[in-house]
Amino acid sequence: MFRKFALIVTVAGLAAVPARAQTPAIPSLDDWDVHDLERPQPPLVTPGEMVLIPPPSDAIVLFDGTNLDEWIHRTEEPASWIIRDGYMEVRPSSGAILTKRSFGDVQLHVEWATPNSGEGQDSGNSGVYLMNTYEVQVLNSHENVTYPDGQAASLYGQYPPLVNASRPAEQWQSYDIIFRRPHFDEAGNLTQPARVTVLHNGVLVQDNVILTGPTGHRSRPPYRAHADALPIQLQDHNEPTRYRNIWVREL
């Protein structure tokens, strides 16, 4: 009886000891250098017809084609991008614009169109940044070759899209993005990495991908603790890329 009681006490005591925190597994991308031109190009897919997707009843409309009231520049000055014919257009060299509101986990819908000019990374370059940190690349990737982790619908510098579902330049395209933010403990240690799913023109191109950290040009920086909610950013890359019909649902 004594031995059995002692065993029960010992097992109960072990169960009460909290498990040591585990560092979450971050995928290794060591097989490919950042912006590696030797990385395989995603196969081409012709998307279906563009369909305007109106915001659902619980969405926050960030741009309805009439004003930039939901947006500011980094300087906190009013956004100064051009508005015409129901879309906004990057005013080159004016700077990125950010939402006045901050977000964490979201479903984000964005429609965009690139100019028909330049080549490589100089063809309609822009970007949609979740939490002002994690970029889904915007680029003319129709018959325009660049490094795969920098083409349209790539998670910049990390993951090319599964397929290239781009329409030609000057045609409207759509992103539907499901973003799950990273989590950090009170000491600033990562406990859960960010995950991203992207549909480009209705085609799945990023499937619940685990981000290795913030996206960066020629770098893959590690995670650094940040707030649970931060603005969404649209990048000014000195090219007149256009956006319309932007809405978000908080998850």
Side-chain angles (χ1 to χ4, degrees):
M1 287 293 293
F2 177 80
R3 289 181 179 176
K4 185 181 291 186
F5 178 77
L7 178 60
I8 293 171
V9 171
T10 301
V11 172
L14 287 174
V17 176
R20 179 174 295 178
Q22 298 293 317
T23 301
I26 303 296
S28 173
L29 300 179
D30 292 342
D31 289 344
W32 304 106
D33 293 332
V34 182
H35 310 327
D36 194 337
L37 285 169
E38 298 300 317
R39 199 167 184 174
Q41 293 286 332
L44 300 176
V45 167
T46 301
E49 184 179 350
M50 179 71 181
V51 177
L52 186 69
I53 301 178
S57 61
D58 62 346
I60 298 170
V61 177
L62 297 176
F63 181 67
D64 66 0
T66 62
N67 63 70
L68 292 170
D69 291 350
E70 290 285 343
W71 301 84
I72 56 173
H73 286 291
R74 292 185 183 278
T75 58
E76 298 189 359
E77 295 177 348
S80 61
W81 287 12
I82 300 162
I83 296 180
R84 64 164 71 95
D85 299 330
Y87 62 81
M88 67 166 102
E89 182 176 289
V90 176
R91 188 186 298 276
S93 300
S94 65
I97 60 173
L98 298 86
T99 56
K100 293 179 179 179
R101 310 187 201 204
S102 292
F103 301 95
D105 294 344
V106 294
Q107 173 188 344
L108 175 65
H109 179 83
V110 180
E111 297 175 14
W112 53 274
T114 67
N116 186 18
S117 61
E119 60 183 20
Q121 289 291 301
D122 295 323
S123 188
N125 196 323
S126 184
V128 178
Y129 284 76
L130 289 308
M131 302 193 84
N132 199 25
T133 304
Y134 309 98
E135 181 185 11
V136 180
Q137 172 77 321
V138 170
L139 193 77
N140 170 27
S141 289
H142 180 79
E143 299 181 353
N144 177 45
V145 177
T146 186
Y147 40 82
D149 64 2
Q151 73 171 69
S154 65
L155 300 176
Y156 191 77
Q158 297 185 27
Y159 299 99
L162 296 172
V163 296
N164 181 349
S166 296
R167 292 192 172 91
E170 298 182 341
Q171 291 189 18
W172 284 104
Q173 314 201 41
S174 66
Y175 282 160
D176 288 283
I177 302 168
I178 308 298
F179 177 76
R180 293 293 185 177
R181 70 174 179 85
H183 289 245
F184 304 91
D185 63 20
E186 292 182 357
N189 300 307
L190 179 71
T191 60
Q192 183 175 309
R195 291 177 176 267
V196 187
T197 296
V198 181
L199 283 83
H200 181 196
N201 294 327
V203 178
L204 181 67
V205 293
Q206 302 287 353
D207 188 4
N208 198 30
V209 169
I210 299 174
L211 289 172
T212 65
T215 55
H217 182 57
R218 300 188 183 280
S219 66
R220 292 184 183 134
Y223 281 99
R224 296 184 64 179
H226 56 63
D228 292 349
L230 290 167
I232 295 167
Q233 179 203 138
L234 299 180
Q235 183 186 35
D236 169 13
H237 204 277
N238 294 321
E239 296 175 57
T241 298
R242 297 170 178 177
Y243 291 93
R244 72 178 187 186
N245 191 23
I246 306 175
W247 51 262
V248 64
R249 296 179 63 247
E250 297 181 289
L251 303 179

